[in-house]
Structure formats: C-alpha cells, structure tokens
Amino acid sequence: MTLSRLGHALRLRREQLGMPQSKVGGLRQATVSRIENGGDVTLDTLIGYASALGLEVTLAPIGQGTYLKPGPVGVPDRLAGDKPLDLLDEFGDLRDET
C-alpha cells in the first residue's frame, strides 16, 4: 500500500513536469513504470528517481515528517495553498494495533 501511494505521488510530479517516463534521467522507462506502479525497487533507485524530479528523500522522527500534496511546479509549498500533511494522518491505516 505504501509503495503504491508513493509511486502515485511521484507519477503526479513527473506529469506536472511534463516529463515522459522515457526521459527520466538515468532510469529506464520500465524502472520508472515499476516505481509508479508500487513495485519493489532499491532505495538507491528511488532516490535517483526522486532527484530526477527535483525532489529529495529525507528521514524524520516518527510523527514529525510531512507529506506535501503535489502542487503547481515552481510554486513554493507555502504559496500553493496546500497544507503539508502529517505522515501519520496520511498513512494512518498502516499503524500497528497496540
């Protein structure tokens, strides 16, 4: 489920950039498709794909990370009108039942 959501968000970003799958720098089209469809990939490949889209992968303490809704390219998030989402809210269905 998580990889599927991540792949969807990355696909939206790529489409906002007007970039076809075959033009993502350093990656084969089949690899881009696998990522966007939630398939297993290495962390190195995921980081490379994010970088090609002008994004970076970061780690944050649990409950302190944010997930930004895709907004207009080139518009700072604070101006795009979309409030950052807490990862625990976005992926709440994945919480451990303890």
Side-chain angles (χ1 to χ4, degrees):
M1 181 77 112
T2 301
L3 290 177
S4 177
R5 288 182 185 174
L6 178 60
H8 179 72
L10 291 170
R11 179 181 320 135
L12 289 175
R13 172 67 176 189
R14 179 184 55 74
E15 290 172 349
Q16 286 175 336
L17 294 171
M19 183 186 302
Q21 287 183 337
S22 61
K23 299 295 182 187
V24 175
L27 296 175
R28 296 177 327 144
Q29 184 274 331
T31 301
V32 173
S33 179
R34 185 170 60 246
I35 294 169
E36 292 181 354
N37 287 304
D40 287 337
V41 294
T42 65
L43 181 57
D44 187 53
T45 299
L46 176 64
I47 290 170
Y49 180 45
S51 179
L53 299 179
L55 303 170
E56 65 181 17
V57 175
T58 61
L59 299 175
I62 294 174
Q64 295 180 22
T66 58
Y67 173 80
L68 299 178
K69 290 182 182 180
V73 175
V75 176
D77 298 317
R78 67 184 181 284
L79 301 177
D82 286 329
K83 175 182 155 199
L85 299 175
D86 186 299
L87 284 175
L88 291 178
D89 291 335
E90 183 69 13
F91 296 102
D93 58 315
L94 300 177
R95 284 191 182 126
D96 288 334
E97 298 295 326
T98 55

PDB file of all heavy atoms in Angstrom, residues 1-12 14-15 21 29-41 49:
ATOM      1  N   MET A   1       0.821  -1.186   0.000  1.00  0.00           N
ATOM      2  CA  MET A   1       0.000   0.000   0.000  1.00  0.00           C
ATOM      3  C   MET A   1       0.866   1.252   0.000  1.00  0.00           C
ATOM      4  O   MET A   1       0.620   2.168  -0.759  1.00  0.00           O
ATOM      5  CB  MET A   1      -0.914  -0.042   1.223  1.00  0.00           C
ATOM      6  CG  MET A   1      -1.837   1.133   1.308  1.00  0.00           C
ATOM      7  SD  MET A   1      -3.208   1.048   0.206  1.00  0.00           S
ATOM      8  CE  MET A   1      -4.537   0.857   1.323  1.00  0.00           C
ATOM      9  N   THR A   2       1.868   1.319   0.828  1.00  0.00           N
ATOM     10  CA  THR A   2       2.719   2.496   0.924  1.00  0.00           C
ATOM     11  C   THR A   2       3.451   2.754  -0.388  1.00  0.00           C
ATOM     12  O   THR A   2       3.501   3.888  -0.849  1.00  0.00           O
ATOM     13  CB  THR A   2       3.742   2.331   2.070  1.00  0.00           C
ATOM     14  OG1 THR A   2       3.047   2.131   3.284  1.00  0.00           O
ATOM     15  CG2 THR A   2       4.612   3.550   2.194  1.00  0.00           C
ATOM     16  N   LEU A   3       4.027   1.729  -0.977  1.00  0.00           N
ATOM     17  CA  LEU A   3       4.753   1.919  -2.233  1.00  0.00           C
ATOM     18  C   LEU A   3       3.821   2.361  -3.358  1.00  0.00           C
ATOM     19  O   LEU A   3       4.203   3.150  -4.214  1.00  0.00           O
ATOM     20  CB  LEU A   3       5.488   0.633  -2.630  1.00  0.00           C
ATOM     21  CG  LEU A   3       6.676   0.251  -1.756  1.00  0.00           C
ATOM     22  CD1 LEU A   3       7.261  -1.085  -2.210  1.00  0.00           C
ATOM     23  CD2 LEU A   3       7.733   1.335  -1.770  1.00  0.00           C
ATOM     24  N   SER A   4       2.600   1.890  -3.326  1.00  0.00           N
ATOM     25  CA  SER A   4       1.623   2.308  -4.323  1.00  0.00           C
ATOM     26  C   SER A   4       1.324   3.799  -4.208  1.00  0.00           C
ATOM     27  O   SER A   4       1.272   4.516  -5.209  1.00  0.00           O
ATOM     28  CB  SER A   4       0.343   1.481  -4.157  1.00  0.00           C
ATOM     29  OG  SER A   4      -0.633   1.908  -5.064  1.00  0.00           O
ATOM     30  N   ARG A   5       1.117   4.275  -2.988  1.00  0.00           N
ATOM     31  CA  ARG A   5       0.845   5.705  -2.772  1.00  0.00           C
ATOM     32  C   ARG A   5       2.047   6.561  -3.156  1.00  0.00           C
ATOM     33  O   ARG A   5       1.895   7.623  -3.756  1.00  0.00           O
ATOM     34  CB  ARG A   5       0.487   5.962  -1.318  1.00  0.00           C
ATOM     35  CG  ARG A   5      -0.872   5.456  -0.947  1.00  0.00           C
ATOM     36  CD  ARG A   5      -1.162   5.787   0.489  1.00  0.00           C
ATOM     37  NE  ARG A   5      -2.432   5.200   0.889  1.00  0.00           N
ATOM     38  CZ  ARG A   5      -2.879   5.224   2.117  1.00  0.00           C
ATOM     39  NH1 ARG A   5      -2.176   5.800   3.066  1.00  0.00           N
ATOM     40  NH2 ARG A   5      -4.042   4.676   2.414  1.00  0.00           N
ATOM     41  N   LEU A   6       3.227   6.101  -2.795  1.00  0.00           N
ATOM     42  CA  LEU A   6       4.441   6.828  -3.136  1.00  0.00           C
ATOM     43  C   LEU A   6       4.607   6.889  -4.651  1.00  0.00           C
ATOM     44  O   LEU A   6       4.901   7.937  -5.216  1.00  0.00           O
ATOM     45  CB  LEU A   6       5.653   6.160  -2.487  1.00  0.00           C
ATOM     46  CG  LEU A   6       7.011   6.783  -2.777  1.00  0.00           C
ATOM     47  CD1 LEU A   6       7.068   8.226  -2.307  1.00  0.00           C
ATOM     48  CD2 LEU A   6       8.106   5.953  -2.115  1.00  0.00           C
ATOM     49  N   GLY A   7       4.408   5.773  -5.310  1.00  0.00           N
ATOM     50  CA  GLY A   7       4.512   5.746  -6.768  1.00  0.00           C
ATOM     51  C   GLY A   7       3.525   6.678  -7.433  1.00  0.00           C
ATOM     52  O   GLY A   7       3.850   7.361  -8.407  1.00  0.00           O
ATOM     53  N   HIS A   8       2.319   6.739  -6.908  1.00  0.00           N
ATOM     54  CA  HIS A   8       1.296   7.631  -7.457  1.00  0.00           C
ATOM     55  C   HIS A   8       1.716   9.094  -7.309  1.00  0.00           C
ATOM     56  O   HIS A   8       1.594   9.887  -8.248  1.00  0.00           O
ATOM     57  CB  HIS A   8      -0.047   7.390  -6.768  1.00  0.00           C
ATOM     58  CG  HIS A   8      -1.141   8.281  -7.253  1.00  0.00           C
ATOM     59  ND1 HIS A   8      -1.722   8.131  -8.497  1.00  0.00           N
ATOM     60  CD2 HIS A   8      -1.726   9.353  -6.685  1.00  0.00           C
ATOM     61  CE1 HIS A   8      -2.632   9.075  -8.659  1.00  0.00           C
ATOM     62  NE2 HIS A   8      -2.652   9.838  -7.570  1.00  0.00           N
ATOM     63  N   ALA A   9       2.234   9.448  -6.141  1.00  0.00           N
ATOM     64  CA  ALA A   9       2.684  10.827  -5.908  1.00  0.00           C
ATOM     65  C   ALA A   9       3.838  11.185  -6.844  1.00  0.00           C
ATOM     66  O   ALA A   9       3.883  12.294  -7.398  1.00  0.00           O
ATOM     67  CB  ALA A   9       3.098  11.013  -4.455  1.00  0.00           C
ATOM     68  N   LEU A  10       4.754  10.262  -7.054  1.00  0.00           N
ATOM     69  CA  LEU A  10       5.876  10.520  -7.960  1.00  0.00           C
ATOM     70  C   LEU A  10       5.398  10.653  -9.405  1.00  0.00           C
ATOM     71  O   LEU A  10       5.894  11.490 -10.158  1.00  0.00           O
ATOM     72  CB  LEU A  10       6.927   9.416  -7.828  1.00  0.00           C
ATOM     73  CG  LEU A  10       7.685   9.406  -6.502  1.00  0.00           C
ATOM     74  CD1 LEU A  10       8.511   8.137  -6.364  1.00  0.00           C
ATOM     75  CD2 LEU A  10       8.549  10.641  -6.349  1.00  0.00           C
ATOM     76  N   ARG A  11       4.426   9.847  -9.785  1.00  0.00           N
ATOM     77  CA  ARG A  11       3.871   9.953 -11.140  1.00  0.00           C
ATOM     78  C   ARG A  11       3.234  11.327 -11.347  1.00  0.00           C
ATOM     79  O   ARG A  11       3.439  11.969 -12.381  1.00  0.00           O
ATOM     80  CB  ARG A  11       2.829   8.873 -11.398  1.00  0.00           C
ATOM     81  CG  ARG A  11       2.219   8.998 -12.808  1.00  0.00           C
ATOM     82  CD  ARG A  11       1.148   7.954 -13.105  1.00  0.00           C
ATOM     83  NE  ARG A  11       1.509   6.671 -12.573  1.00  0.00           N
ATOM     84  CZ  ARG A  11       0.664   5.875 -11.904  1.00  0.00           C
ATOM     85  NH1 ARG A  11      -0.589   6.225 -11.717  1.00  0.00           N
ATOM     86  NH2 ARG A  11       1.053   4.708 -11.446  1.00  0.00           N
ATOM     87  N   LEU A  12       2.468  11.792 -10.359  1.00  0.00           N
ATOM     88  CA  LEU A  12       1.860  13.114 -10.466  1.00  0.00           C
ATOM     89  C   LEU A  12       2.917  14.195 -10.650  1.00  0.00           C
ATOM     90  O   LEU A  12       2.765  15.096 -11.471  1.00  0.00           O
ATOM     91  CB  LEU A  12       1.008  13.417  -9.229  1.00  0.00           C
ATOM     92  CG  LEU A  12      -0.291  12.645  -9.091  1.00  0.00           C
ATOM     93  CD1 LEU A  12      -0.959  12.970  -7.765  1.00  0.00           C
ATOM     94  CD2 LEU A  12      -1.219  12.927 -10.251  1.00  0.00           C
ATOM     95  N   ARG A  14       5.965  13.845 -11.902  1.00  0.00           N
ATOM     96  CA  ARG A  14       6.567  13.708 -13.239  1.00  0.00           C
ATOM     97  C   ARG A  14       5.647  14.304 -14.295  1.00  0.00           C
ATOM     98  O   ARG A  14       6.093  15.024 -15.192  1.00  0.00           O
ATOM     99  CB  ARG A  14       6.858  12.234 -13.547  1.00  0.00           C
ATOM    100  CG  ARG A  14       7.459  12.019 -14.929  1.00  0.00           C
ATOM    101  CD  ARG A  14       7.643  10.554 -15.250  1.00  0.00           C
ATOM    102  NE  ARG A  14       6.442   9.759 -15.131  1.00  0.00           N
ATOM    103  CZ  ARG A  14       5.422   9.775 -16.004  1.00  0.00           C
ATOM    104  NH1 ARG A  14       5.465  10.546 -17.076  1.00  0.00           N
ATOM    105  NH2 ARG A  14       4.363   9.011 -15.813  1.00  0.00           N
ATOM    106  N   GLU A  15       4.360  14.030 -14.176  1.00  0.00           N
ATOM    107  CA  GLU A  15       3.393  14.556 -15.140  1.00  0.00           C
ATOM    108  C   GLU A  15       3.299  16.072 -15.054  1.00  0.00           C
ATOM    109  O   GLU A  15       3.168  16.748 -16.071  1.00  0.00           O
ATOM    110  CB  GLU A  15       2.030  13.906 -14.928  1.00  0.00           C
ATOM    111  CG  GLU A  15       2.022  12.447 -15.337  1.00  0.00           C
ATOM    112  CD  GLU A  15       0.744  11.715 -14.966  1.00  0.00           C
ATOM    113  OE1 GLU A  15      -0.089  12.264 -14.196  1.00  0.00           O
ATOM    114  OE2 GLU A  15       0.570  10.571 -15.433  1.00  0.00           O
ATOM    115  N   GLN A  21       7.955   9.115 -19.137  1.00  0.00           N
ATOM    116  CA  GLN A  21       8.720   8.112 -18.400  1.00  0.00           C
ATOM    117  C   GLN A  21      10.082   7.841 -19.037  1.00  0.00           C
ATOM    118  O   GLN A  21      11.065   7.635 -18.343  1.00  0.00           O
ATOM    119  CB  GLN A  21       7.944   6.800 -18.304  1.00  0.00           C
ATOM    120  CG  GLN A  21       6.791   6.828 -17.350  1.00  0.00           C
ATOM    121  CD  GLN A  21       6.100   5.482 -17.241  1.00  0.00           C
ATOM    122  OE1 GLN A  21       6.179   4.646 -18.140  1.00  0.00           O
ATOM    123  NE2 GLN A  21       5.406   5.279 -16.132  1.00  0.00           N
ATOM    124  N   GLN A  29      12.709   3.302 -18.833  1.00  0.00           N
ATOM    125  CA  GLN A  29      11.263   3.511 -18.764  1.00  0.00           C
ATOM    126  C   GLN A  29      10.606   2.415 -17.939  1.00  0.00           C
ATOM    127  O   GLN A  29       9.685   2.680 -17.158  1.00  0.00           O
ATOM    128  CB  GLN A  29      10.675   3.573 -20.180  1.00  0.00           C
ATOM    129  CG  GLN A  29       9.191   3.884 -20.230  1.00  0.00           C
ATOM    130  CD  GLN A  29       8.318   2.641 -20.089  1.00  0.00           C
ATOM    131  OE1 GLN A  29       8.716   1.543 -20.467  1.00  0.00           O
ATOM    132  NE2 GLN A  29       7.136   2.820 -19.531  1.00  0.00           N
ATOM    133  N   ALA A  30      11.064   1.184 -18.067  1.00  0.00           N
ATOM    134  CA  ALA A  30      10.470   0.075 -17.317  1.00  0.00           C
ATOM    135  C   ALA A  30      10.659   0.258 -15.811  1.00  0.00           C
ATOM    136  O   ALA A  30       9.774  -0.085 -15.021  1.00  0.00           O
ATOM    137  CB  ALA A  30      11.084  -1.247 -17.765  1.00  0.00           C
ATOM    138  N   THR A  31      11.792   0.815 -15.413  1.00  0.00           N
ATOM    139  CA  THR A  31      12.052   1.058 -13.997  1.00  0.00           C
ATOM    140  C   THR A  31      11.126   2.147 -13.461  1.00  0.00           C
ATOM    141  O   THR A  31      10.553   2.022 -12.379  1.00  0.00           O
ATOM    142  CB  THR A  31      13.523   1.464 -13.776  1.00  0.00           C
ATOM    143  OG1 THR A  31      14.366   0.412 -14.260  1.00  0.00           O
ATOM    144  CG2 THR A  31      13.821   1.719 -12.314  1.00  0.00           C
ATOM    145  N   VAL A  32      10.956   3.213 -14.231  1.00  0.00           N
ATOM    146  CA  VAL A  32      10.052   4.296 -13.830  1.00  0.00           C
ATOM    147  C   VAL A  32       8.635   3.743 -13.687  1.00  0.00           C
ATOM    148  O   VAL A  32       7.940   4.024 -12.708  1.00  0.00           O
ATOM    149  CB  VAL A  32      10.095   5.462 -14.844  1.00  0.00           C
ATOM    150  CG1 VAL A  32       9.034   6.501 -14.524  1.00  0.00           C
ATOM    151  CG2 VAL A  32      11.478   6.094 -14.862  1.00  0.00           C
ATOM    152  N   SER A  33       8.211   2.935 -14.625  1.00  0.00           N
ATOM    153  CA  SER A  33       6.878   2.344 -14.568  1.00  0.00           C
ATOM    154  C   SER A  33       6.727   1.473 -13.323  1.00  0.00           C
ATOM    155  O   SER A  33       5.693   1.526 -12.645  1.00  0.00           O
ATOM    156  CB  SER A  33       6.629   1.512 -15.824  1.00  0.00           C
ATOM    157  OG  SER A  33       5.356   0.913 -15.774  1.00  0.00           O
ATOM    158  N   ARG A  34       7.738   0.686 -13.005  1.00  0.00           N
ATOM    159  CA  ARG A  34       7.677  -0.184 -11.825  1.00  0.00           C
ATOM    160  C   ARG A  34       7.529   0.659 -10.548  1.00  0.00           C
ATOM    161  O   ARG A  34       6.725   0.342  -9.676  1.00  0.00           O
ATOM    162  CB  ARG A  34       8.912  -1.076 -11.746  1.00  0.00           C
ATOM    163  CG  ARG A  34       8.835  -2.079 -10.619  1.00  0.00           C
ATOM    164  CD  ARG A  34       9.935  -3.141 -10.642  1.00  0.00           C
ATOM    165  NE  ARG A  34      11.252  -2.567 -10.562  1.00  0.00           N
ATOM    166  CZ  ARG A  34      12.162  -2.608 -11.538  1.00  0.00           C
ATOM    167  NH1 ARG A  34      11.875  -3.194 -12.684  1.00  0.00           N
ATOM    168  NH2 ARG A  34      13.350  -2.076 -11.381  1.00  0.00           N
ATOM    169  N   ILE A  35       8.288   1.743 -10.446  1.00  0.00           N
ATOM    170  CA  ILE A  35       8.191   2.621  -9.272  1.00  0.00           C
ATOM    171  C   ILE A  35       6.788   3.213  -9.172  1.00  0.00           C
ATOM    172  O   ILE A  35       6.162   3.187  -8.115  1.00  0.00           O
ATOM    173  CB  ILE A  35       9.242   3.753  -9.341  1.00  0.00           C
ATOM    174  CG1 ILE A  35      10.651   3.177  -9.234  1.00  0.00           C
ATOM    175  CG2 ILE A  35       8.992   4.782  -8.245  1.00  0.00           C
ATOM    176  CD1 ILE A  35      11.743   4.178  -9.563  1.00  0.00           C
ATOM    177  N   GLU A  36       6.307   3.747 -10.272  1.00  0.00           N
ATOM    178  CA  GLU A  36       5.000   4.416 -10.273  1.00  0.00           C
ATOM    179  C   GLU A  36       3.845   3.461 -10.014  1.00  0.00           C
ATOM    180  O   GLU A  36       2.772   3.880  -9.582  1.00  0.00           O
ATOM    181  CB  GLU A  36       4.800   5.153 -11.588  1.00  0.00           C
ATOM    182  CG  GLU A  36       5.738   6.326 -11.741  1.00  0.00           C
ATOM    183  CD  GLU A  36       5.566   7.101 -13.022  1.00  0.00           C
ATOM    184  OE1 GLU A  36       4.783   6.686 -13.905  1.00  0.00           O
ATOM    185  OE2 GLU A  36       6.228   8.141 -13.145  1.00  0.00           O
ATOM    186  N   ASN A  37       4.055   2.189 -10.263  1.00  0.00           N
ATOM    187  CA  ASN A  37       3.018   1.186 -10.012  1.00  0.00           C
ATOM    188  C   ASN A  37       3.189   0.483  -8.669  1.00  0.00           C
ATOM    189  O   ASN A  37       2.517  -0.505  -8.396  1.00  0.00           O
ATOM    190  CB  ASN A  37       2.978   0.175 -11.154  1.00  0.00           C
ATOM    191  CG  ASN A  37       2.374   0.776 -12.400  1.00  0.00           C
ATOM    192  OD1 ASN A  37       1.252   1.273 -12.371  1.00  0.00           O
ATOM    193  ND2 ASN A  37       3.112   0.770 -13.493  1.00  0.00           N
ATOM    194  N   GLY A  38       4.093   1.006  -7.834  1.00  0.00           N
ATOM    195  CA  GLY A  38       4.253   0.477  -6.490  1.00  0.00           C
ATOM    196  C   GLY A  38       5.100  -0.766  -6.381  1.00  0.00           C
ATOM    197  O   GLY A  38       5.039  -1.465  -5.370  1.00  0.00           O
ATOM    198  N   GLY A  39       5.901  -1.050  -7.401  1.00  0.00           N
ATOM    199  CA  GLY A  39       6.760  -2.233  -7.371  1.00  0.00           C
ATOM    200  C   GLY A  39       7.974  -2.043  -6.486  1.00  0.00           C
ATOM    201  O   GLY A  39       8.328  -0.927  -6.102  1.00  0.00           O
ATOM    202  N   ASP A  40       8.608  -3.145  -6.152  1.00  0.00           N
ATOM    203  CA  ASP A  40       9.811  -3.098  -5.330  1.00  0.00           C
ATOM    204  C   ASP A  40      10.978  -2.532  -6.130  1.00  0.00           C
ATOM    205  O   ASP A  40      11.216  -2.933  -7.267  1.00  0.00           O
ATOM    206  CB  ASP A  40      10.183  -4.504  -4.851  1.00  0.00           C
ATOM    207  CG  ASP A  40       9.246  -5.024  -3.778  1.00  0.00           C
ATOM    208  OD1 ASP A  40       8.609  -4.203  -3.110  1.00  0.00           O
ATOM    209  OD2 ASP A  40       9.167  -6.249  -3.619  1.00  0.00           O
ATOM    210  N   VAL A  41      11.685  -1.612  -5.523  1.00  0.00           N
ATOM    211  CA  VAL A  41      12.908  -1.050  -6.101  1.00  0.00           C
ATOM    212  C   VAL A  41      13.893  -0.822  -4.965  1.00  0.00           C
ATOM    213  O   VAL A  41      13.515  -0.784  -3.799  1.00  0.00           O
ATOM    214  CB  VAL A  41      12.656   0.290  -6.840  1.00  0.00           C
ATOM    215  CG1 VAL A  41      11.787   0.086  -8.051  1.00  0.00           C
ATOM    216  CG2 VAL A  41      12.066   1.325  -5.923  1.00  0.00           C
ATOM    217  N   TYR A  49      15.385   8.461  -8.772  1.00  0.00           N
ATOM    218  CA  TYR A  49      14.157   8.887  -9.444  1.00  0.00           C
ATOM    219  C   TYR A  49      13.652  10.191  -8.839  1.00  0.00           C
ATOM    220  O   TYR A  49      13.319  11.135  -9.548  1.00  0.00           O
ATOM    221  CB  TYR A  49      13.096   7.790  -9.353  1.00  0.00           C
ATOM    222  CG  TYR A  49      11.785   8.137 -10.018  1.00  0.00           C
ATOM    223  CD1 TYR A  49      11.749   8.722 -11.274  1.00  0.00           C
ATOM    224  CD2 TYR A  49      10.583   7.886  -9.393  1.00  0.00           C
ATOM    225  CE1 TYR A  49      10.547   9.043 -11.889  1.00  0.00           C
ATOM    226  CE2 TYR A  49       9.372   8.189 -10.001  1.00  0.00           C
ATOM    227  CZ  TYR A  49       9.366   8.771 -11.247  1.00  0.00           C
ATOM    228  OH  TYR A  49       8.170   9.092 -11.843  1.00  0.00           O
TER     229      TYR A  49
END
